[in-house]
Amino acid sequence: MIVNVIGAGLAGCEASNFLANHGIKVKLYEKRPLVQSEAHHTDLFGELVCSNSLKSKKLDNACGLLKEEIKTMGSLMMEASAFSEVNAGDSLAVDRYEFAKYITNKIKSNPNIEIIYEDVDSIKDGINLITTGPLTSSKLLDKISEITGEKCFNFFDASAPIVEKNSIDFSKVYYKSRYEQGDDSYINCPMNKEEYESFVKELINAKRALLHDFDKNYFEGCLPIEVMASRGIDTLRFGPLKPKGLEHNDTLHYAVVQLRQDDLIGNFYNIVGFQTNLTYNEQKRVFHMIPGLENAKFVRYGLMHRNSYIFAPKILNDDYSLKVNPNVYIAGQLSGVEGYVESAASGLLAAYYIYFRIKNIQYKKLSFNTVLGALTRYITHTGINSFSPMNANFGIIYRANYIKKDDIINRSLKEVNDFKKQLRKYSNNTIISYKHDIDLFDDFLYNHDLLLENVDKEIYRSFIKFCLNDKKFDKRSIRRITSTLKHYYQFLYDEKYIVSNPLLGVKSFKTDVKYPEVLYLNEFANLIEKTYERKDFLVKRDLALLELMFSSGMRNSEIINLKINDINFNDRFIKVLGKGNKERLVPFSINAKNAMIEYGKGLRKELILKTGNHNLNLYFFLNSKGNKLTPRGLEFIMKEISKKANVNIDLYPHKLRHTFATSLLEGGADLRTIQELLGHSSINTTQIYTHVNKEILKEQYNKFFPIKSKDDLDN
């Protein structure tokens, strides 16, 4: 499965990075440098058009909490921010070049991402995630409108100018952060009343650049400085030029212009809140009126740019897919979220939902108890007559007005952490086992007229006695049941179904270590020899199964789901998708190769013809009726192989996997290699085979050593 991500801005890079890191192939389309935009200045991915910071780092700020949420989810933007951060007090500001460079290098070095430079104006085959941002081409906007039947909209956004630090007159300015929060990292240019009023007058009357053919529809969260000034003489004094908290030498100035560091070295500073649409000459003239900036050299002038967005409530599902075409997703600022952090967050969340879909994982969406969930809900569920792009804010979070900030933060981060855990996919067998355990417990409570919320440790002990004495479960089963119930009650407690967890602190049964059973090599050789002597219809399939499972150590599920396209006969490698959807390469023996080819060119074709279902061409191993194998079917085949060979072996699929591992260990392979070949997530799981090896040696010793003392037998 390949996902097409269109647009290498923050949202597109977040999505591509997440999907690629989780084994999904990505084609990332980017129009730059083939087609440059009016707002970008480099060819780097994830470029910040505006030099504004990524807002607050504090968790009691909605955007700060959103950043913490996506950091928990594995955000590339947060990685890049940590690498390129510059001093900005309690705000997160970055060196824009180093930030974009970090993201670009990450994306380009990922082997699962193919970068295609193309100005996309249509929808690709397969799954598409459109993250082209506010400067989406008119052709692609027209295509989206054509598909959805809804018009796309736009407003105008602006960016602030940047000046060289060494051109600032430091005799007129001072360093300070508002209310002394964080380091004194801002340069402050104070104004008296006369200076301020003269500045505002010239600002209002200054010549503005043309807005091309678009309506003058501004985003209220990022108004041009001249538009704010036109709303009243004191508007700026109570907005970006607010002096409160910036007192200097016990003086409260009439107004203060702040400058924030824009690069890691500290050579460049942007003028905070001075996004503008003035012509370049007028910017130079008017902004030189600011005390300390009379001779300032502009590295970049401010500019206006178009922000396009879709009518999300009408056309988007809450997983960012189109209602009319679930193979097309739209995230980032084009979806109706506003702001860099919000854009990146929506791209990351859309990637999660795409991954869950591809892997067929049932999941629970983020709720509006989280900033990201609330933002998603807003753009997809707000009233169609009042919809406009939205920043992160506490006002959209569920019951935020009635809950303490600390509780909002804790609730949000817990839910996000639980959401991330859903990446782990439990096998069907595991789910069946859990359900069996809970159903058994529910039946016990029902038969004793008990309710879930009435359970205490005494009732739990009665249930365990019931499992031991009446059901005759062994200690291993009791241990699993206990684990299931502890997780079950923790879930009930976390979701507020119960007021306390009665199983908190309950200890699980200690069980004797049960080492895996293995075949001795002479036993396997005898089994193969006897199987070769068979003359029945299925012998070639059975030989292929035996040789492959013995020489690869593949799991039952991996054998069952093995597809022809996953097998490389020339190099004798199989591409395996194991537990946790982790991909690995598994070698197999020349004997397995020969047996599999023999089965594939004859018997397998006959089995397919039995059903007439050519979709079965996908799967390599089939049952006697020509259908895909099942777990129970594979176990039955193993027992039949042993029975037909007339050998006294309790043969089951996992025994061959255990045999493979111990054979490697005996041959001198290190544990790390065995772990990789078996697809174990932890070396601790692999470690058990060292004990198996010792047990085999002890068994052979006790069997064949002629004189056995009492101590020998006991040990």
Side-chain angles (χ1 to χ4, degrees):
M1 175 67 72
I2 295 176
V3 176
N4 303 304
V5 179
I6 303 168
L10 285 181
C13 288
E14 284 283 12
S16 299
N17 183 67
F18 172 82
L19 290 168
N21 287 343
H22 287 80
I24 305 296
K25 299 289 185 182
V26 174
K27 287 185 177 180
L28 177 59
Y29 294 84
E30 171 57 37
K31 68 180 181 181
R32 293 181 300 124
L34 299 178
V35 180
Q36 280 291 5
S37 75
E38 63 259 40
H40 291 88
H41 296 266
T42 74
D43 296 334
L44 298 173
F45 301 158
E47 180 183 347
L48 302 180
V49 175
C50 185
S51 59
N52 290 346
S53 74
L54 300 173
K55 302 180 185 175
S56 176
K57 292 189 289 189
K58 299 175 70 175
L59 292 184
D60 61 0
N61 175 282
C63 193
L65 180 54
L66 177 59
K67 285 194 285 286
E68 191 64 26
E69 288 177 359
I70 63 173
K71 182 180 178 181
T72 302
M73 294 168 65
S75 166
L76 175 60
M77 186 198 77
M78 295 307 296
E79 275 186 44
S81 299
F83 174 80
S84 58
E85 185 175 358
V86 299
N87 289 329
D90 288 330
S91 295
L92 177 60
V94 298
D95 181 315
R96 291 180 301 113
Y97 178 77
E98 294 296 333
F99 174 86
K101 184 179 170 184
Y102 182 95
I103 288 175
T104 304
N105 290 339
K106 273 280 189 176
I107 295 297
K108 287 187 173 181
S109 63
N110 197 311
N112 283 334
I113 300 176
E114 178 187 357
I115 298 165
I116 302 170
Y117 293 100
E118 178 184 327
D119 188 10
V120 177
D121 58 9
S122 60
I123 304 301
K124 306 290 183 180
D125 293 334
I127 294 177
N128 293 261
L129 174 59
I130 302 174
T131 57
T132 43
L135 301 175
T136 301
S137 69
S138 56
K139 287 184 178 179
L140 187 54
L141 289 175
D142 290 343
K143 176 57 69 174
I144 294 170
S145 294
E146 180 188 323
I147 295 171
T148 62
E150 293 291 336
K151 179 185 176 183
C152 295
F153 301 91
N154 65 75
F155 61 87
F156 280 92
D157 206 347
S159 58
I162 299 171
V163 301
E164 289 184 6
K165 180 184 178 182
N166 60 13
S167 67
I168 299 171
D169 184 353
F170 278 88
S171 67
K172 297 180 180 181
V173 304
Y174 60 95
Y175 280 100
K176 187 174 183 177
S177 294
R178 196 178 302 276
Y179 301 115
E180 298 183 342
Q181 294 176 344
D183 297 332
D184 292 339
S185 50
Y186 287 78
I187 296 174
N188 299 275
C189 306
M191 287 181 169
N192 58 36
K193 183 177 180 182
E194 183 181 352
E195 290 169 332
Y196 171 80
E197 290 180 349
S198 297
F199 171 77
V200 171
K201 180 182 177 182
E202 292 300 316
L203 184 61
I204 294 171
N205 295 321
K207 185 179 180 181
R208 306 180 189 185
L210 295 175
L211 291 182
H212 306 289
D213 299 326
F214 299 97
D215 296 329
K216 295 180 180 180
N217 178 24
Y218 301 111
F219 179 59
E220 287 292 324
C222 194
L223 288 173
I225 188 79
E226 61 273 13
V227 174
M228 282 190 281
S230 66
R231 294 182 174 183
I233 186 65
D234 288 323
T235 301
L236 297 184
R237 289 184 59 238
F238 291 91
L241 274 68
K242 180 172 66 176
K244 193 173 181 180
L246 294 175
E247 296 84 354
H248 183 58
N249 294 333
D250 298 324
T251 300
L252 177 62
H253 299 286
Y254 195 76
V256 177
V257 176
Q258 287 198 300
L259 284 77
R260 179 193 299 116
Q261 186 176 330
D262 195 74
D263 66 327
L264 281 173
I265 300 174
N267 288 335
F268 306 134
Y269 276 71
N270 72 74
I271 311 177
V272 178
F274 270 59
Q275 54 275 2
T276 181
N277 190 41
L278 299 185
T279 64
Y280 291 172
N281 285 336
E282 288 289 80
Q283 288 184 50
K284 186 176 180 179
R285 180 182 70 84
V286 176
F287 297 158
H288 274 173
M289 295 176 67
I290 300 170
L293 302 187
E294 293 89 349
N295 298 303
K297 292 181 180 179
F298 288 85
V299 178
R300 191 190 80 182
Y301 288 102
L303 54 84
M304 291 290 296
H305 58 88
R306 171 177 53 85
N307 254 339
S308 297
Y309 65 98
I310 60 172
F311 202 12
K314 273 195 173 183
I315 68 177
L316 274 193
N317 295 310
D318 57 4
D319 64 352
Y320 292 89
S321 66
L322 293 183
K323 292 178 180 179
V324 297
N325 187 345
N327 281 337
V328 179
Y329 294 73
I330 297 178
Q333 288 187 242
L334 186 60
S335 71
V337 301
E338 177 55 33
Y340 291 128
V341 179
E342 292 87 342
S343 176
S346 69
L348 181 57
L349 184 58
Y352 265 76
Y353 290 147
I354 291 170
Y355 178 81
F356 289 148
R357 173 183 167 182
I358 291 173
K359 298 301 181 181
N360 198 27
I361 298 174
Q362 291 188 346
Y363 63 93
K364 182 180 179 183
K365 294 186 177 81
L366 279 180
S367 78
F368 53 17
N369 290 324
T370 65
V371 182
L372 182 49
L375 193 63
T376 303
R377 181 178 176 84
Y378 173 85
I379 65 169
T380 57
H381 287 80
T382 194
I384 58 175
N385 295 323
S386 60
F387 178 69
S388 63
M390 179 60 71
N391 292 109
N393 64 88
F394 281 119
I396 60 176
I397 297 176
Y398 180 62
R399 293 178 63 82
N401 292 336
Y402 305 96
I403 302 174
K404 293 179 180 178
K405 282 282 180 69
D406 286 348
D407 292 337
I408 293 173
I409 295 166
N410 292 333
R411 182 180 68 179
S412 166
L413 296 181
K414 182 188 181 305
E415 183 172 326
V416 169
N417 194 53
D418 290 343
F419 177 78
K420 183 184 177 182
K421 288 179 181 177
Q422 296 178 118
L423 291 172
R424 178 180 177 183
K425 184 180 180 181
Y426 291 101
S427 69
N428 287 333
N429 287 339
T430 301
I431 294 170
I432 291 168
S433 294
Y434 285 171
K435 187 176 183 306
H436 170 269
D437 297 341
I438 293 170
D439 287 345
L440 181 68
F441 185 59
D442 283 342
D443 288 342
F444 175 82
L445 296 181
Y446 178 80
N447 292 329
H448 291 80
D449 293 325
L450 296 169
L451 299 174
L452 277 170
E453 56 265 32
N454 299 139
V455 171
D456 55 22
K457 289 181 180 177
E458 202 57 46
I459 293 171
Y460 161 75
R461 292 191 189 98
S462 299
F463 171 68
I464 295 300
K465 287 179 182 178
F466 162 77
C467 293
L468 283 168
N469 301 329
D470 293 31
K471 292 293 184 178
K472 307 297 183 185
F473 290 156
D474 59 23
K475 289 183 178 180
R476 186 172 293 275
S477 297
I478 299 297
R479 186 179 178 89
R480 187 201 68 234
I481 290 169
T482 299
S483 177
T484 299
L485 293 182
K486 286 173 72 174
H487 282 95
Y488 182 43
Y489 265 96
Q490 188 60 45
F491 165 79
L492 294 174
Y493 175 73
D494 291 340
E495 295 298 318
K496 311 297 184 196
Y497 290 111
I498 56 177
V499 295
S500 63
N501 183 353
L503 302 192
L504 200 64
V506 167
K507 294 181 179 179
S508 299
F509 265 68
K510 289 186 178 180
T511 59
D512 297 331
V513 178
K514 186 178 179 182
Y515 296 118
E517 296 180 5
V518 301
L519 288 175
Y520 296 116
L521 295 184
N522 62 328
E523 289 180 315
F524 181 75
N526 184 49
L527 178 63
I528 289 290
E529 185 180 341
K530 294 291 182 71
T531 303
Y532 263 106
E533 294 173 359
R534 285 169 40 191
K535 305 295 183 186
D536 60 277
F537 179 60
L538 296 171
V539 63
K540 290 183 178 179
R541 182 206 61 188
D542 293 352
L543 283 167
L545 276 169
L546 283 174
E547 294 284 11
L548 179 61
M549 294 175 75
F550 173 75
S551 68
S552 69
M554 291 170 64
R555 297 182 177 93
N556 304 16
S557 59
E558 295 166 353
I559 290 290
I560 290 165
N561 292 305
L562 177 62
K563 297 175 182 176
I564 290 182
N565 292 338
D566 296 330
I567 307 170
N568 183 334
F569 284 106
N570 290 331
D571 297 329
R572 287 194 283 116
F573 271 100
I574 291 174
K575 185 173 68 176
V576 174
L577 190 66
K579 278 189 175 180
N581 297 309
K582 293 180 179 178
E583 196 174 275
R584 70 185 195 279
L585 290 177
V586 175
F588 55 93
S589 68
I590 187 70
N591 289 342
K593 173 184 174 179
N594 294 335
M596 289 164 70
I597 291 174
E598 190 70 19
Y599 157 68
K601 70 182 184 183
L603 175 61
R604 187 176 171 277
K605 292 180 180 178
E606 292 180 43
L607 294 174
I608 291 173
L609 290 174
K610 278 192 172 188
T611 64
N613 184 0
H614 291 285
N615 288 331
L616 292 168
N617 280 313
L618 293 170
Y619 298 101
F620 189 70
F621 289 111
L622 305 171
N623 65 19
S624 60
K625 296 180 180 179
N627 294 314
K628 180 189 175 186
L629 292 181
T630 64
R632 290 179 67 91
L634 184 59
E635 290 178 5
F636 176 78
I637 289 170
M638 290 293 113
K639 291 186 180 299
E640 284 294 295
I641 289 174
S642 179
K643 184 178 176 182
K644 289 176 180 178
N646 198 26
V647 295
N648 189 25
I649 296 175
D650 182 17
L651 189 63
Y652 51 90
H654 236 60
K655 183 178 270 190
L656 293 174
R657 177 171 163 88
H658 299 324
T659 303
F660 167 78
T662 54
S663 298
L664 284 174
L665 192 64
E666 288 175 358
D670 62 90
L671 280 179
R672 182 65 186 86
T673 301
I674 299 172
Q675 177 194 1
E676 184 68 26
L677 290 170
L678 293 175
H680 287 159
S681 58
S682 170
I683 194 76
N684 294 331
T685 308
T686 317
Q687 191 78 35
I688 196 167
Y689 291 107
T690 62
H691 300 291
V692 173
N693 204 34
K694 292 175 183 176
E695 289 297 308
I696 292 172
L697 290 173
K698 188 191 296 185
E699 182 182 332
Q700 293 290 289
Y701 174 84
N702 288 335
K703 186 175 180 181
F704 297 109
F705 193 68
I707 301 172
K708 303 181 183 65
S709 70
K710 183 178 181 301
D711 289 341
D712 287 330
L713 294 172
D714 290 340
N715 295 293

